[in-house]
Amino acid sequence: GAGVSQSPRYKVAKRGQDVALRCDPISGHVSLFWYQQALGQGPEFLTYFQNEAQLDKSGLPSDRFFAERPEGSVSTLKIQRTQQEDSAVYLCASSLESGDEQYFGPGTRLTVT
Amino acid sequence: LAKTTQPISMDSYEGQEVNITCSHNNIATNDYITWYQQFPSQGPRFIIQGYKTKVTNEVASLFIPADRKSSTLSLPRVSLSDTAVYYCLVGEPGGSYIPTFGRGTSLIVHP
């Protein structure tokens, strides 16, 4: 079946704009993770969902970041009033259950100018 | 949360065996060890997972000594396409497992 997909693949935003990044996980996967990856660094955890419940959002860097997964499938990561330091690749991953092998999407490269 | 330490970079040549060691001195009893591979402009990809002794699949082997304070990812006969960043993660499946990737090991395979 299809893997994890993310859209858009690339996004350029002017500082101060709001952006919304979408993740379509593998069908049936309970767990969904969002990561932020800066150039030359490993992915850093942002938030985690189990079905529609956001169980951990300790990695969200500020209250400008918001994630949702209202029906337990598609998830959206929203960044309000983008800043230059938000420029990074945002990765989404899903797994059958927490702690299982994670399947990653290709990521969305966000550039804030 | 168990912290992992792995070399920043490694170099190898085509056809050689590559061993990447990860230290995790504070590994907990229920923690598993998982390795991911990441190519440029792609998301990480699961390679292998183990708890103790040795695990082997079609891609790699994972060696875990009895004390479990370290693990070694072994890639047999590497090719240029194995050039990637390799991450070692430690955590307990289920519960409040938050994957911590670190900077990983950048492996460059030379012709």
Side-chain angles (χ1 to χ4, degrees):
Chain A
V4 178
S5 61
Q6 293 186 245
S7 60
R9 290 294 314 276
Y10 303 92
K11 177 70 178 177
V12 178
K14 290 189 189 305
R15 189 161 56 97
Q17 282 185 333
D18 298 348
V19 298
L21 313 181
R22 177 187 168 106
C23 172
D24 282 83
I26 293 173
S27 177
H29 277 195
V30 168
S31 298
L32 186 145
F33 297 81
W34 282 99
Y35 297 87
Q36 180 190 61
Q37 186 169 26
L39 194 62
Q41 304 294 318
E44 291 201 8
F45 169 83
L46 293 177
T47 187
Y48 157 60
F49 290 85
Q50 188 165 310
N51 295 307
E52 68 278 3
Q54 189 174 21
L55 298 188
D56 193 315
K57 54 182 181 180
S58 62
L60 296 177
S62 77
D63 58 7
R64 296 185 296 103
F65 287 70
F66 172 75
E68 60 183 5
R69 193 186 184 198
E71 297 177 0
S73 55
V74 171
S75 178
T76 303
L77 176 68
K78 297 178 180 177
I79 309 174
Q80 297 177 324
R81 304 181 303 281
T82 52
Q83 304 294 316
Q84 281 194 315
E85 62 262 28
D86 300 334
S87 295
V89 174
Y90 291 86
L91 294 163
C92 172
S94 70
S95 63
L96 204 53
E97 296 285 350
S98 171
D100 286 345
E101 169 186 352
Q102 292 192 23
Y103 295 82
F104 281 80
T108 294
R109 181 177 297 279
L110 173 66
T111 303
V112 181
T113 61
Chain B
L1 201 65
K3 179 179 165 59
T4 60
T5 303
Q6 46 183 128
I8 294 292
S9 64
M10 293 182 70
D11 289 87
S12 184
Y13 292 88
E14 283 189 292
Q16 289 189 336
E17 178 184 77
V18 170
N19 296 309
I20 306 174
T21 296
C22 178
S23 297
H24 28 80
N25 292 317
N26 296 326
I27 190 168
T29 302
N30 295 332
D31 285 346
Y32 278 67
I33 300 151
T34 309
W35 285 80
Y36 283 83
Q37 173 192 55
Q38 187 176 26
F39 298 114
S41 301
Q42 295 185 25
R45 182 176 72 114
F46 172 89
I47 301 176
I48 198 165
Q49 183 180 71
Y51 182 79
K52 62 179 180 181
T53 62
K54 176 183 173 182
V55 180
T56 296
N57 61 23
E58 64 278 5
V59 176
S61 294
L62 179 59
F63 297 92
I64 306 168
D67 66 7
R68 304 199 328 121
K69 293 184 183 301
S70 67
S71 59
T72 299
L73 175 72
S74 181
L75 305 173
R77 298 179 298 283
V78 294
S79 64
L80 296 178
S81 62
D82 293 315
T83 294
V85 179
Y86 293 83
Y87 299 96
C88 165
L89 283 72
V90 171
E92 178 181 354
S96 59
Y97 173 56
I98 298 176
T100 302
F101 278 80
R103 290 192 62 182
T105 297
S106 176
L107 172 66
I108 298 176
V109 179
H110 303 276

